[in-house]
Amino acid sequence: MRDVAAAGASTGPRVLPRNDPRQYDDLAGEWWRPDGAFAMLHWLAEARAALVPPATRPDALLVDLGCGAGLLAPHLAGKGYRHVGVDLTRSALVQAAEHGVRVVQGDATAVPLPDGCADVVSAGELLEHVPAWPRAVAEACRLLRPGGVLVLDTLNDTALARLVAVRIAERLPTVPRGIHDPLLFVDARALVAECARHGVDLSLRGIRPQVGGMLAWLLRRARASRTAGAVPAGRAPRIVPTRSTAVLYQGRGVRKG
């Protein structure tokens, strides 16, 4: 039997299996809180958006797979894309639409959009939640037009990633408990090979939160928790490159043709 976790809920706690999509409904109020349970997703969205080039043609399309509540949207401002978000969770899509994303409710392994429609496909913090991640990769590559750009980030299938992202991170206020199933983490070499099978040369680099910024953010949260007040304003931690892809890594690739 798989490990189970209690997801924080607006209607009361309930016990769900790890990686159960219903957790996102329970945590719907956390998406846009800069100090909330999804805070790290904001930091990662900013880092992912930095890999997206400005649009090179009118009406360029960016497809955001696993878009959640649209956290990528503010970081795409001025880049010239129509931003279409695909996600299973309706409560998240409602919030994405409020932030200017054109939303499509659908599965990342069977996206209801035509071949070659996208100039950019983003798959941020998605693949480690998909039981059949190669199918999601195939869909991401299918959606790209020749010369289109794929950007992604995910967790590696290593003992270190399981230690850091589950055992340690779930004790911090940056990762909701039970949000990840470590059995679904994505081997970096297998991901590169799978993208190559579908015509995308993917380059990887390791990433992590900047240590000083992360510690300062945790300290602000701890102080606020003791006083039951709001977290004081401060700079959000930056996501920075690191030489190792053993835990969290980012990818960028271009579709051939």
Side-chain angles (χ1 to χ4, degrees), residues 5 13 25 36 38 74 101 113 150 167 177 189 200 227 252 254:
D25 288 321
F38 293 135
V101 182
L113 294 172
L150 173 65
R167 293 187 180 275
R177 189 176 178 188
R189 288 173 295 184
V200 173
T227 61
R252 185 182 189 277
V254 176

Side-chain angles (χ1 to χ4, degrees), residues 43-57:
W43 316 338
L44 287 164
E46 182 177 13
R48 192 180 322 119
L51 300 181
V52 176
T56 58
R57 64 191 187 101

